[in-house]
Amino acid sequence: MRKKIVAGNWKMYNDLSETTILLAALKEQVFPEDVNVMVAPAFTNLQYASDTLREHPVTVAAQNMHQSEKGAFTGEVSAVMLKSIGVETVILGHSERRAYFNENSALLAEKVNSALSNNMTAIFCFGEELVDRKAGKHFDVVREQLEDGLFHISEKDWKHIILAYEPVWAIGTGETASPEQAQEIHQFIRKTISENYSEAIAENVSILYGGSVKPANAEEIFGQKDVDGGLIGGASLDAESFIAIVNAF
Ligand code: PGA
């Protein structure tokens, strides 16, 4: 059975004192038992978050990592380092990484491999840009991103994968895919996995929607048959709105 997941991507927001305040508010909450709540603070605050949430059901994720386990890669952080502070989940391929840090599918495939070989869970992000959608190419773009970055993994690896469909035109723009648009593409994603792997794998993978999810639209989006939760940016920085989104399930 696939899991319901709400993950907050804090991006390059929240210094240590802001992180402390936000985590304290989340720690007080009793979230619905069937919803897996995750937060992804900046690297500098990961150890604090991991320590403070050690006995708590909220999972701490990193926003990125390098594909190698160690080496002369100034400024980078590896899977081994994340694991050493208790972080076992990592967001890979966020559209901001793809756009501003030149992360392409070949590189992402290597990052996925590093996550899997270190027994981490990867939240694999993908999604089309506005030009693709306007040209009616969104299905092709999404299929290619999956094929090139992810579909080399083995069947057994799928239990360590969470998918996050994030149309670039909806990220941080206030513009959300309609619930019908989200359902249409999530269904397509599941069908594509089923064709390349099996129906069982397609049915068991959680597919999150990301892009301007807020308390006002979360319930309708999460209510779609093939939407298993959300990757939340802006609205995850405010305790009250993030809690409301989790409770929208
Ligand atoms: P947003 O960001 O919710 O602010 O649109 C989503 C994301 O980038 O994951």
Side-chain angles (χ1 to χ4, degrees), residues 9 11 94-96 166 170-174 210-213 231-235:
N9 173 14
K11 308 192 181 187
H94 189 279
S95 64
E96 287 149 16
E166 299 202 303
I171 295 179
T173 58
S212 300
V213 177
L231 182 55
I232 322 299

Side-chain angles (χ1 to χ4, degrees), residues 29-49:
Q29 284 301 307
V30 181
F31 290 116
E33 258 179 39
D34 61 339
V35 182
N36 289 251
V37 180
M38 302 184 177
V39 290
F43 280 128
T44 50
N45 302 322
L46 275 180
Q47 168 132 37
Y48 171 76

Side-chain angles (χ1 to χ4, degrees), residues 214-233:
K214 37 189 181 277
N217 59 24
E219 189 175 349
E220 217 183 346
I221 293 172
F222 296 167
Q224 302 302 307
K225 185 171 165 287
D226 287 296
V227 177
D228 306 307
L231 182 55
I232 322 299

